[in-house]
């Protein structure tokens, strides 16, 4: 590929970005799109829809860019929580490190690569991109020390920035634990693998076990029930009732306009009394199995203090590790209720099955990747499809096929990866939504790194046989030969998958089409009540880390990619801030659990870059550069081990010192009784079941009932507290 093909790809993607961003600045001003582009404000407060018509609404503007640029980390934290701040810190870290890499490599390494051979250079637009890679430097050149120096600067800068980011995010996580109001998850332990006994129910077994072994700290428990068919129907009926209730007042008939003829569909009559909807609750209970038959071998156990809950969650409860398995419970809104009914003995089988399925899916993806790489090599493409020879001789078609089409086809195939990995993570049996999304994030990350980076190298260069792995010693050499030749494809991939994807992200194409269909086809005047979206960490974090990997590995080998990567991260800074401030709604908080994934992937990218550079220096017969690269690899691994020992435990366990101090503050301020009342309603599986939370016998029951607020005993009080 030459510079002309690269500029063609860049021009197409720049045009797409400009058009979509301009269109977004117009669409966001339209009152009918409030539920699409201002979802957070739409959910939290009523939005006035009486905006007068004005010409300014149809003129593109950059006001949203200034708003996103001026937003502070405190605003991001208040709106999106710790996870949103951590995500933006990933983008800021990438901007910093690749700004340093771009300055070093563009002004120091790129001229050395360009003049590395004694040759007659063409005009810039006709130059091949391989001229700007390290492959153009002749063997034994004394100028290879510049590449080694750039590698040292990039690696040391990345380690220093990583250290300060890890330290800052660790403090932020601790501040989140200590500064947030009392969270029911801090006092709750999820128990799975409860042994079955024909003599008593699961609930009795839980009460007996924890009353015996934790008599001073055990408060009560909440069983997990199997959702019955009637309960699901009642939930659906309740949702339908709420939706129809907003159409017309009670006692009137509600109708919807027909989208075909303009008439009305069959009308619905609203009941004036809720008692009319369910005439006799006992008749519903008769259709349900007994409480004992509905119980599942899982329960939420509540403790008096945070420290007691942490101890119970981390201690082995039984000589049989498969029984009485405990872990800290996720937040109430973070619980994934469907997976709580899965027997704990099946979890390890599910994890193995999903791992095998993910690996099979990963290797099945070799077919489209190999096809994409065939498009980048015109000789093979013309040989396979002779009828394309005449078309490919045209310069514009040549540049379009080699510079733009391959990356676009690969992106279209990659759209199927996140939903598939999310399905695998659901089948694993994760009990929380954040854990499921974190598992899907790791799977998507491994998938994209393997298929976009390694498979493209293996299928698109001289390494076409899997025998490359027959000798571990030869891997650096083989990668060193492959990466510079594929740097051109990676550059176009950053343009297509990076710049264009951010434009599609900000315009929210799917939500916009659904909104247009609902308003202009169905002619609905009511806004949807469930239009909120959570931030897609499992798709966006792998994309950021993949571009970071491409930037690191190609920085010294082919520095021409760095300006495109840097522009992507600058655009991502503005787009994601805008989306966090206005679109995505945080329903739960993981406390920055995604950062260790980012740190480990960055270290992997650095070590991989150093190994590739070691192979390149060996090929170029530069023993001095090779000798200086080996200590750098050990230094990076040693730095990673230090961070793992210093910061990583805080993301896995909560410090006892902090928890004990928080428990003492609750006692001093007299908040313990209020916390106990919240625990009784926080983990309510179904609002239709108000008797799911049994209390402990003897003194525990007496203490709690005496401290109950009379209002909390009214029917429906648990539902109100849960919604709050």
């Amino acid at each position: 590929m030459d510079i002309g093909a690269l500029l063609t790809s860049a021009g197409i993607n720049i045009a797409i970005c400009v058009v979509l961003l301009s269109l977004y600045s117009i669409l966001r001003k339209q009152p009918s799109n409030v539920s699409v582009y201002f979802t957070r404000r739409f959910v939290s407060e009523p939005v006035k829809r009486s905006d007068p018509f004005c010409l300014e609404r149809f003129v593109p503007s950059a006001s949203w860019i200034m708003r996103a640029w001026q937003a502070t980390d405190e605003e991001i934290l208040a709106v999106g929580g710790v996870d949103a701040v951590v995500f933006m810190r990933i983008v800021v870290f990438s901007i910093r490190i690749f700004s340093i890499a771009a300055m070093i490599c563009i002004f120091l390494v790129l001229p050395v690569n360009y003049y590395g051979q004694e040759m007659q250079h063409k005009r810039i637009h006709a130059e091949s991109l391989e001229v700007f890679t390290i492959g153009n430097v002749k063997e034994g050149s004394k100028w290879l020390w510049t590449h080694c120096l750039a590698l040292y600067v990039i690696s040391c800068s990345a380690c220093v920035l990583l250290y300060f980011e890890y330290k800052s995010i660790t403090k932020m996580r601790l501040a989140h634990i200590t500064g947030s109001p009392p969270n029911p998850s801090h006092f709750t332990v999820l128990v799975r693998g409860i042994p079955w006994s024909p003599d008593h129910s699961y609930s009795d077994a839980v009460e007996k076990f924890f009353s015996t072994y934790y008599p001073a700290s055990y408060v009560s428990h909440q069983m997990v029930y199997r959702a019955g068919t009637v309960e699901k129907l009642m939930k659906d009926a309740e949702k339908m009732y709420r939706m129809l209730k907003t159409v017309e007042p009670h006692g009137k008939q509600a109708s919807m306009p027909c989208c075909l003829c303009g008439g009305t569909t069959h009308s619905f009559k609203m009941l004036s009394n809720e008692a009319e909807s369910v005439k006799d609750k006992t008749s519903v209970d008769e259709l349900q199995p007994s409480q004992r038959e509905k119980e599942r071998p899982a329960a939420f156990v509540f403790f008096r203090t945070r420290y007691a809950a942490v101890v119970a969650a981390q201690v082995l409860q039984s000589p049989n590790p498969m029984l009485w398995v405990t872990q800290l419970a996720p937040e109430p809104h973070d619980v994934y209720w469907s997976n709580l009914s899965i027997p704990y003995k099946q979890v390890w089988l599910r994890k193995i099955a999903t791992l095998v399925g993910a690996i099979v899916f990963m290797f099945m993806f070799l077919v489209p990747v190999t096809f994409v790489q065939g498009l980048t090599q015109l000789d093979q493409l013309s040989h396979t499809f002779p009828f394309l020879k005449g078309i490919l001789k045209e310069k514009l078609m040549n540049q379009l096929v080699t510079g733009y089409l391959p990356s676009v086809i690969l992106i279209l195939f990659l759209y199927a990866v996140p939903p598939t990995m999310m399905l695998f993570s659901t089948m694993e049996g994760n009990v929380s939504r954040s854990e499921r999304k974190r598992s899907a994030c790791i799977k998507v990350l491994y998938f994209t790194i393997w298929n976009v980076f390694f498979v493209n190298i293996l299928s698109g260069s001289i390494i076409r046989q899997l025998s490359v792995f027959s000798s571990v010693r030869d891997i650096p050499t083989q990668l060193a030969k492959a990466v510079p030749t594929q740097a051109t494809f990676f550059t176009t991939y950053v343009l297509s998958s990076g710049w264009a994807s951010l434009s599609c992200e900000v315009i929210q194409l799917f939500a916009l089409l659904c909104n247009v269909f609902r308003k202009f086809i169905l002619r609905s005047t009511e806004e949807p009540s469930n239009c909120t979206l959570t931030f897609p960490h499992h798709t966006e974090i792998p994309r950021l880390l993949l571009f970071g990997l491409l930037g690191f590995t190609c920085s010294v080998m082919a520095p021409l990619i760095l300006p495109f990567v840097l522009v992507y991260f600058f655009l991502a800074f503005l787009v994601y801030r805008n989306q966090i401030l206005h679109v995505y709604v945080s329903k739960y908080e993981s406390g920055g659990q995604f950062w260790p994934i980012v740190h480990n992937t960055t270290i992997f990218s650095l070590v991989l870059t150093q190994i590739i550079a070691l192979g390149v220096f060996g090929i170029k017969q530069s023993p001095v550069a090779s000798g200086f690269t080996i200590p750098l690899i050990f230094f990076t691994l040693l730095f990673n081990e230090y961070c793992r020992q210093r910061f990583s435990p805080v993301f896995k366990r909560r410090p006892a010192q902090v928890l004990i101090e928080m428990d003492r503050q609750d006692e001093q301020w007299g908040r313990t009784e209020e916390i106990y009342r919240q625990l009784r309603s926080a983990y309510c599986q179904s609002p239709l079941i108000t008797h799911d939370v049994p209390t402990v016998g003897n003194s525990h029951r007496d203490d709690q009932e005496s401290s109950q607020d009379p209002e909390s005993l009214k029917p429906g009080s648990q539902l109100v507290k849960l919604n709050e």
Side-chain angles (χ1 to χ4, degrees), residues 126-351:
E127 286 280 13
S128 173
L129 292 181
E130 295 182 359
V131 176
F132 299 93
T133 67
I134 198 173
N136 194 51
V137 180
K138 62 182 179 180
E139 298 180 0
S141 175
K142 62 180 181 179
W143 290 102
L144 287 171
W145 67 267
T146 58
H147 299 79
C148 185
L149 177 62
L151 185 64
Y152 260 86
V153 173
I154 294 173
S155 300
C156 293
S157 301
C159 289
V160 171
L161 292 175
L162 272 178
Y163 173 79
F164 286 108
E165 290 292 340
Y166 216 152
K167 183 178 180 180
S168 176
I169 293 174
T170 302
K171 292 181 178 179
M172 191 185 307
R173 175 175 171 81
L174 293 175
H176 167 71
I177 296 175
T178 58
S180 59
N183 195 322
S185 63
H186 294 172
F187 300 85
T188 309
V189 172
L190 175 62
V191 182
R192 306 174 73 186
I194 303 173
W196 162 254
S197 175
D199 300 331
H200 49 76
S201 64
Y202 285 124
S203 180
D204 296 335
V206 172
E207 181 176 349
K208 181 179 179 181
F209 182 88
F210 286 94
S211 297
T212 302
Y213 298 106
Y214 297 90
S217 58
Y218 170 59
V219 176
S220 62
H221 68 276
Q222 157 104 28
M223 294 303 302
V224 175
Y225 293 94
R226 172 174 52 86
T229 304
V230 176
E231 291 174 357
K232 294 180 180 179
L233 292 176
M234 292 180 68
K235 288 182 181 179
D236 295 338
E238 184 180 1
K239 292 180 181 178
M240 181 64 68
Y241 169 75
R242 291 177 179 176
M243 181 181 68
L244 296 177
K245 187 177 180 181
T246 60
V247 180
E248 291 290 341
H250 291 291
K252 297 183 179 180
Q253 290 188 348
S255 60
M256 293 180 61
C258 180
C259 60
L260 297 178
C261 58
T264 58
T265 60
H266 295 288
S267 60
F268 297 90
K269 185 175 182 180
M270 308 301 297
L271 300 178
S272 59
N273 191 354
E274 293 185 3
E276 298 180 23
S277 61
V278 183
K279 294 183 178 179
D280 189 4
K281 190 176 186 297
T282 58
S283 62
V284 177
D285 292 336
E286 292 176 358
L287 299 177
Q288 296 293 330
S290 64
Q291 289 293 98
R292 181 172 178 178
E293 294 176 356
K294 291 165 57 181
E295 288 179 353
R296 308 305 299 167
F300 293 97
V301 181
F302 310 121
F303 291 84
R304 291 188 177 276
T305 62
R306 299 174 180 84
Y307 178 73
V310 169
V311 171
Q314 297 180 357
V315 171
L316 187 64
Q317 304 293 336
S318 170
N320 185 355
M322 302 297 289
L323 298 177
W324 297 107
V325 181
T326 56
Q327 68 179 80
L328 283 175
E331 293 183 2
H333 294 288
D334 194 15
V335 177
Y336 195 74
W337 293 98
S338 301
N339 284 350
L340 289 179
S341 299
I342 299 174
Y344 185 76
K345 295 181 179 180
Q346 294 183 8
V347 173
W348 70 277
L349 291 175
R350 287 172 171 264
K351 290 185 177 181

Side-chain angles (χ1 to χ4, degrees), residues 397-646:
M397 291 300 301
N398 188 331
Q399 295 176 350
L400 184 64
V401 171
T402 59
Y404 182 71
L405 193 60
S407 56
V408 172
I409 295 176
L410 182 60
I411 292 169
L412 294 178
F413 279 109
L414 287 174
Y415 274 120
V417 176
T420 304
M421 295 306 177
M422 182 62 78
L423 177 62
F424 286 149
S425 299
T426 304
M427 295 170 59
E428 274 184 350
N430 296 309
V431 296
S432 66
R433 300 181 184 275
S434 60
E435 186 179 355
R436 181 185 63 159
K437 187 169 288 188
R438 183 174 178 271
S439 177
C441 176
I442 295 175
K443 291 182 177 62
V444 175
L445 177 62
Y446 289 163
F447 185 93
T448 52
I449 289 178
W450 167 253
N451 282 283
V452 176
F453 184 77
F454 287 103
V455 174
N456 275 285
I457 290 175
L458 295 176
S459 62
S461 63
I462 60 174
I463 315 171
R464 300 183 182 277
Q465 305 296 330
L466 292 179
S467 58
V468 63
F469 298 108
S470 59
S471 177
V472 179
R473 183 181 58 185
D474 296 335
I475 292 179
T477 304
Q478 303 293 351
L479 290 175
K481 294 179 181 178
V483 171
T485 60
Q486 287 302 300
T488 55
F489 170 76
F490 294 148
T491 304
T492 58
Y493 183 81
V494 170
L495 292 172
S496 302
S497 179
W499 296 9
S501 66
L502 289 175
S503 303
C504 295
E505 163 66 28
V506 75
I507 205 170
Q508 292 288 306
L509 184 60
F510 180 76
L512 179 64
L513 293 178
C514 291
N515 186 57
V516 171
F517 180 79
R518 183 179 63 255
K519 291 183 179 298
F520 298 100
I521 304 299
L522 299 181
R523 298 184 182 180
S524 175
T525 59
E526 296 297 327
E527 298 291 348
S529 59
N530 56 347
C531 60
T532 59
L533 298 174
T534 58
F535 195 87
H537 292 92
H538 65 293
T539 61
E540 305 310 313
I541 289 180
R543 182 179 286 115
L544 291 178
L545 296 179
L546 174 64
F547 291 147
L549 173 69
L550 298 180
F552 279 120
T553 53
C554 297
S555 58
V556 179
M557 306 297 109
L560 204 59
I561 195 177
L562 292 177
F564 301 102
V565 172
L566 196 56
V567 170
Y568 165 77
F569 284 115
F570 272 115
L571 187 59
F573 178 82
L574 299 174
V575 168
Y576 288 127
R577 278 201 166 204
N578 178 78
Q579 300 299 89
I580 291 172
L581 290 172
H582 302 298
V583 178
Y584 294 115
V585 178
S586 299
K587 298 181 180 179
Y588 48 83
E589 181 67 67
S590 70
Q593 287 286 356
F594 290 96
W595 177 256
I597 301 175
V598 177
H599 176 85
N600 295 333
T601 306
T602 305
I603 293 295
F604 170 77
S605 302
L606 285 174
V607 173
L608 181 62
T609 302
Q610 294 159 6
I611 292 175
I612 294 173
L614 180 63
V616 170
F617 295 149
I619 294 175
K620 297 298 181 180
Q621 298 179 4
S622 178
V624 175
S626 300
F628 276 97
T629 304
I630 295 175
L632 187 60
I633 299 176
F634 286 104
F635 169 77
T636 306
L637 295 175
L638 185 63
F639 166 77
N640 180 54
E641 182 63 22
Y642 171 77
C643 291
R644 192 179 69 86
Q645 297 291 337
R646 172 62 179 85

